[in-house]
Each structure stands twice: as structure tokens, then as C-alpha cells.
Amino acid sequence: MAATPRKNKTARRILAVGAGIATVGALVATMPSAGAAGDQFAAGQGTNGKGWGRMVDVQLLSFNDLHGNLEPPAGSSGQVVRTKPDGTTEKVDAGGVEYMATHLRQARQGNRYSITAAAGDMIGASPLLSGLFHDEPTIEALNELDLDVTSVGNHEFDEGARELARMQNGGCHPTAGCFVEGKTFQGADFPYLAANVTDEKTGKPILDPYYVWEKDGVKIGFIGVTLEGTPNVVTAEGVKGLKFGDEVETINKYTKILERKGVKSIVALVHEGGMPASSAVDYNCDGDGDGDGEGVSGAIVDIAKNVSPQVDALVTGHTHQAYVCSIPDPTGKPRLVTSASSFGKVYTDTTLTYDRATKDIVRTAVASANHVVTRDVPKAEDMTKLIEDWRTLAAPVANRPQGFIAADINGRGSTAYEKPLGDLIADAQLEGLAPADKGGAQLALMNPGGIRSDLVYKASGAEGDGVVTYGEAFTVQPFTNMMNVVDLSGANLITALKQQVSGSNLNSIKILQVSKGLTYTLDMTKTGADRVVDGTIKLNGEAIDPAKTYRVAMNEFLAGGGDGFGALATGTNKLVGASDLDVFNAYLAAHSSAAAPLQVPAADRITVVNPPKP
């Protein structure tokens, strides 16, 4: 069944119907007719830019990479860096949908035309409060936030296309059933856009490729895409039967289609991003005023420079960075490109000036800024109730103690290549898979992107400081990937370590977290694969022998060659073990107690020459 729009929506929604397993139909919300007055103002005889005049200010509120973070993220995952008036920076606690709802609702006040859009990864890799219930709580929260439209991200495919279709259209989970007695999950009130994700058999988009927002004759089209490399960062099962097309080609294709339908104002929602030169959320990428986009780097730069000039702005994500930049379009004209950090800590407020006569955005009049979702505003009562209801259901599982720590053990919050929490996780995987009947692992490798948070010493609830609950452990490792142990040649192990800094990871390096006993030197003064210094890779003090076979433990994502580690996919004689979360929790239980909590790992296995600045 198609998603049902909320009754309080005032904009008429027109969706171009895609084809495939999860296509949704048109969503039309009731609104009073503008009548003859509307025709008069559309002709350019109106009064002001806020309402019915020729020039109309349309507010675009946007965010990205929420990842089901309904509660305020803990530790460094819940902080952003902001510039103070004197030019110094400060860390600010941010995030939590109770606060985000208040910020967005306050921002909308006084804006006759306001759209809220997102750039993917709304769900997936979520904390337990959402992940335990297959992200139904997050979709409900986004409905309450009055989200109008979002693109898919790579994490929308963590559970496959059919589960994504359920997120859009509703219905109870195929195996877990309905989580609330007598209540059927209704699905998203907003359209998920997946223009560049097609069914391999039919060649048609699995979800709507675009959406047209309309109010009082003002029309703005949205095209949604995820990164073409999604299959490289999602398990093979999650993208089975799907094809991911080029972002630029897809956006340009649907831009032409929208133009033929009379829609000339277009925003691209792109789940791909860049890296700004500063981590401050209010960093000005265009400080020199020339709009050349030099303040940001990464994949989004090439995308922005090649997307059709008819696209007026790009809302981006994926890299979890915050930026508001101008990047020249193919004609050399500056064009807005934004991103709003992650986990609901930041939102972007953009003013798009719409010309009723040309039906296009006046690009020179576009203004935008990122704003922190601070926690010094009143909580939105409806969000508080939503969280409390789901928290009650999750409590028996979430609050169960798993172990004890003596201080914060940083994972996501560490800027170092080797992270203390990465060492802990890799050690847990090695210990869990080392017994002969469990796989006989000699070493373990963990992908850094799979570490979703920190272990925080301060209590998140009533459990007490230093106690690690099941919910907190789940937040660190929410994918429940199954552990694999494989035979891997020494040559391929060496190649895999070199793939951290070469191939698809050349410009965005991914340093694997390694278990105790595996050591090597990483020389950042060199380039590409040469950064992993030959002859330094050792296991328990002995150099890795290219001709020897090693038993290597890793999660199923890495074992499938994920994150650009094709050499790891060459493993043979595979044994499938427990889930990564079960192995992690077992290690916490076995190695910590209230009297003897886990200490922070030294993170001294990888020797880094010329490490990056924090």
C-alpha cells in the first residue's frame, strides 16, 4: 500500500511514479484553493518576497545521516565544533530528535513556503532504540518532524530492498511481526527517492526517482540519488538484484524529465559528500568570496562540477561533515552545495528565491547556513512521548549490563588511525574465534566504519558510571554481522593492508583495526600502497610470510571484500561464527567487572610516521 500523507501537510505533493518493487503513488494533501487571487499573483502582481509576489522566498531545511539517533548521541558522537565570536572554537553538545523537532519548528515560523528535505542514511547503523525495532521508531519520528522528502543512502540497504520498501509503504516486519500489539507500522509519510537504484531485471528504479513539491503555484523538483559505490560499503545480500548508476548521469537524466514537465527549479539530494578544510560546523568554504569550492574536497566536488546547470542546489551527505559551499557548475557559475554533519546534530537553513515569472530559482539570491541542534531549547513533547514509548519496549534488553570500563574508550570519536575501541573490538573477535572449534583464528581485522560510537564512562541511564549496557554495546556495533574465519595467504594479507591506502581508498583511506600481535609501520610521507612499509608487517614478532596461510577473523562485510578490500574476499575454507555483537559482549563479560574494569587500550600496534593532525 502507498504511504499516507499527514493531514497537516499544506503543500500539494506530486510524485513521479517510478517502477519496481517499492513504487509509491501520488500523495496529495488538502489545501484551500488560491482561486483568482492566485492567478493574479502568479502573474507577478503580488506584494512581497515572503508571500504572493513575483519573487518568493522558499525555505529549505535539510539534514543527512541521522542513522536512527533519536536520543541525544553520547560522548564525542554527540558533539560538534563551533566557532566563537573571538575566532576560537568550542565543542557543543548537540543532537536528539526532541531538540531537533523544536529547532526545525522554530525555524519554520514566519515562512509561508518551507520544505524539509534529507540526503539519505536516515536509518541503518542505528542505536538500539531504533535498530532493535528495524528502524520503525525513526520513520515515525521523521513523520512527526514533517520531513517532505529524502534520498536513499547506502545504509537504507542494510536489510535489503524489500525491507526498504516496507519502510516506505508500511506493514509489520516479515519475521519479527508487529512490535506493538494491535498496531501496524504505517510506513513513511514522505517519499524515499532512489533515481540511480534500479532493478537488475527490469532496469527500472525501485523507488520514485524524483518528487515535485508544490504550493500556490510554486514548484520545486527534487531528485534523489545515493553513491554509485554503494555495493562497496553494504553487504552483498543488502544490494542483491540491484544496480547503482552514475550519480551525475542520473541527475542530468531526470533534470531533463522535470524540465519537460515544466519544473525548472530543481534540488539534487545526493548521498555522497566531501571533506571541508575545517571541522567547524560554521566554516565558510568560500571565505575568499570567489565561489570556487576550494574549501571542500572529495567525490562531491566532481559531481557538483558536472551536474546540469539547471540544478539549483545540491544537498549532500555520507561523509558526516558539515559545510556550506559554492562549487562551480559546468558553466562556471557558483552553485550551493551543503551538508549537515550527522546524527541530527546540525541542520541547514537555505533560502531559495523563486521567480514566479521564470519558474526558476534566482541563484544569485540563494543564502544558506548551518545551525547546531543545541540542547538548550525545550524538548518537543510529541518526540519525548515517542521515545519513551519505544524505550519502554526496549528496556528489558537495552539496560542489561554487559561489562565495565574505567574511562571513555573512543572509537568514532578518535581521530587517530588506530582507535582504542578498534583494538578492543579486534581483540574480542580474535579471542572469540581463536578456539579450534570456532575457526582457529590467528588474527582479526575490523573495518573502522563499522565502529559507530564510543564506549562512554558516564552513565546514560540508571546503570551507573562505567557500566556498559547491551544498548550501548549495540550502538557501537549495530549491524550484527556474522563473524567469518578464512584461510588467507600471507601475500593477500599484505595486499589487503596496502589496500587501506590505495585503490578505491587512495583518497579516503580506511585503516583496518588489528588484533594484538599484528604490527606494522604506516609511513604517511609516502603515497599509495608504499605507505604500508614493506618488511614491517609482523604477527607476534615474526614477519608475515607471503607463501604461508593464515587463519583470519573478520566480519562478513569485510570477508565479502567490502570497503575496497578485495584481497580479503580471496579467503577460503570459511567458517561462520557468532555475530560481531555477541563476540564483543562475551569479551566484555569475560574481561571486566565492577572491581576490575577494562582499561583504555594503548593503541600502539600501528606505528605511524607523520600522523594526521587531530
Side-chain angles (χ1 to χ4, degrees):
M1 77 183 165
T4 304
R6 298 182 59 78
K7 293 181 180 179
N8 65 349
K9 293 287 187 184
T10 58
R12 181 152 52 107
R13 295 174 157 192
I14 304 174
L15 278 73
V17 180
I21 62 175
T23 300
V24 293
L27 303 181
V28 182
T30 59
M31 58 168 283
S33 172
D39 294 335
Q40 175 186 356
F41 290 119
Q45 301 173 30
T47 56
N48 60 67
K50 291 290 184 183
W52 294 96
R54 170 174 171 172
M55 298 298 181
V56 177
D57 285 346
V58 179
Q59 180 187 57
L60 174 62
L61 302 175
S62 58
F63 57 96
N64 50 275
D65 296 274
L66 180 63
H67 290 289
N69 279 263
L70 304 183
E71 298 172 292
S76 61
S77 294
Q79 293 182 324
V80 296
V81 176
R82 181 173 62 186
T83 306
K84 296 195 294 185
D86 63 2
T88 61
T89 59
E90 62 179 343
K91 289 185 177 180
V92 181
D93 290 337
V97 294
E98 294 163 292
Y99 303 107
M100 189 177 194
T102 299
H103 278 280
L104 292 179
R105 289 164 186 171
Q106 290 177 347
R108 292 178 187 132
Q109 292 177 7
N111 290 279
R112 180 183 182 89
Y113 302 90
S114 184
I115 312 167
T116 303
D121 276 7
M122 296 295 97
I123 59 174
S126 304
L128 184 132
L129 183 65
S130 185
L132 186 63
F133 305 106
H134 295 274
D135 281 315
E136 290 182 19
T138 296
I139 297 298
E140 290 187 354
L142 292 171
N143 289 343
E144 292 295 326
L145 280 175
D146 286 329
L147 181 63
D148 287 292
V149 60
T150 183
S151 68
V152 295
N154 54 289
H155 281 286
E156 263 81 18
F157 295 92
D158 283 350
E159 295 189 52
R162 290 189 180 278
E163 177 64 2
L164 175 57
R166 189 178 75 88
M167 292 292 98
Q168 178 72 86
N169 300 326
C172 295
H173 192 271
T175 57
C178 297
F179 297 113
V180 180
E181 186 175 355
K183 177 184 176 182
T184 300
F185 174 58
Q186 295 299 301
D189 291 349
F190 52 88
Y192 259 114
L193 304 182
N196 68 329
V197 187
T198 55
D199 185 298
E200 283 186 343
K201 294 181 179 179
T202 66
K204 297 180 179 179
I206 65 166
L207 291 168
D208 294 333
Y210 61 85
Y211 156 79
V212 180
W213 181 93
E214 180 180 3
K215 183 177 181 179
D216 302 336
V218 176
K219 295 181 181 180
I220 298 180
F222 291 85
I223 301 168
V225 298
T226 186
L227 66 154
E228 184 181 9
T230 291
N232 296 326
V233 292
V234 176
T235 59
E237 189 64 26
V239 295
K240 186 176 181 180
L242 304 178
K243 183 178 179 181
F244 292 78
D246 181 83
E247 303 95 333
V248 172
E249 291 178 4
T250 302
I251 294 170
N252 290 348
K253 170 185 174 180
Y254 285 104
T255 295
K256 293 179 180 178
I257 291 174
L258 284 171
E259 285 184 289
R260 288 199 295 267
K261 291 178 176 290
V263 180
K264 297 182 179 180
S265 297
I266 300 170
V267 175
L269 305 176
V270 186
H271 190 72
E272 178 62 288
M275 298 297 293
S278 169
S279 61
V281 297
D282 49 2
Y283 165 65
N284 182 2
C285 286
D286 303 309
D288 56 7
D290 62 4
D292 59 9
E294 289 183 354
V296 66
S297 60
I300 197 59
V301 176
D302 285 339
I303 291 173
K305 287 182 176 180
N306 288 283
V307 161
S308 168
Q310 290 303 116
V311 174
D312 297 293
L314 286 80
V315 175
T316 73
H318 188 55
T319 57
H320 291 202
Q321 302 299 308
Y323 48 83
V324 174
C325 300
S326 292
I327 299 176
D329 68 16
T331 68
K333 184 179 178 182
R335 176 168 52 192
L336 184 70
V337 180
T338 71
S339 179
S341 185
S342 64
F343 298 173
K345 295 178 290 188
V346 175
Y347 72 93
T348 310
D349 190 338
T350 302
T351 299
L352 303 171
T353 299
Y354 181 92
D355 187 335
R356 287 182 180 276
T358 64
K359 299 181 181 180
D360 205 352
I361 299 298
V362 181
R363 190 118 42 104
T364 56
V366 171
S368 186
N370 277 333
H371 300 276
V372 179
V373 177
T374 59
R375 301 176 190 169
D376 57 0
V377 298
K379 295 180 180 180
E381 293 182 1
D382 56 337
M383 290 299 180
T384 299
K385 184 180 185 307
L386 183 149
I387 288 173
E388 288 178 348
D389 287 348
W390 286 106
R391 189 183 285 155
T392 299
L393 289 177
V397 175
N399 297 333
R400 190 167 66 231
Q402 299 297 310
F404 302 84
I405 56 176
D408 288 356
I409 302 179
N410 285 337
R412 202 74 174 180
S414 171
T415 58
Y417 289 140
E418 182 183 354
K419 306 175 188 303
L421 188 50
D423 282 4
L424 180 62
I425 291 172
D427 286 352
Q429 294 177 350
L430 174 59
E431 181 170 297
L433 284 302
D437 62 338
K438 302 295 184 183
Q442 297 168 274
L443 63 115
L445 303 172
M446 174 65 191
N447 56 306
I451 306 170
R452 305 303 298 183
S453 186
D454 307 323
L455 285 182
V456 180
Y457 178 79
K458 184 179 179 180
S460 59
E463 75 276 9
D465 291 347
V467 179
V468 179
T469 65
Y470 184 92
E472 291 166 340
F474 185 97
T475 298
V476 169
Q477 291 208 276
F479 298 107
T480 56
N481 279 318
M482 303 309 293
M483 291 301 302
N484 289 184
V485 185
V486 301
D487 284 345
L488 199 69
S489 71
N492 282 332
L493 176 58
I494 293 170
T495 298
L497 294 177
K498 288 181 177 291
Q499 287 174 338
Q500 297 175 116
V501 289
S502 62
S504 61
N505 295 326
L506 178 63
N507 297 317
S508 181
I509 67 175
K510 296 181 177 68
I511 302 302
L512 294 167
Q513 307 301 287
V514 299
S515 57
K516 60 183 178 182
L518 184 63
T519 59
Y520 68 94
T521 297
L522 187 67
D523 187 348
M524 297 307 294
T525 65
K526 299 181 180 179
T527 59
D530 289 339
R531 287 174 165 174
V532 177
V533 180
D534 290 334
T536 66
I537 306 172
K538 298 179 180 180
L539 181 61
N540 300 321
E542 294 185 6
I544 294 294
D545 183 349
K548 189 176 178 180
T549 297
Y550 297 85
R551 291 292 284 169
V552 182
M554 66 191 91
N555 60 44
E556 59 185 319
F557 171 68
L558 278 179
D563 270 352
F565 292 101
L568 297 180
T570 64
T572 58
N573 193 22
K574 180 171 68 176
L575 183 145
V576 178
S579 74
D580 52 7
L581 180 60
D582 287 344
V583 168
F584 185 50
N585 282 331
Y587 187 88
L588 291 173
H591 291 273
S592 67
S593 66
L598 278 171
Q599 301 298 313
V600 180
D604 56 0
R605 299 162 189 179
I606 305 173
T607 300
V608 183
V609 178
N610 194 35
K613 295 179 181 180

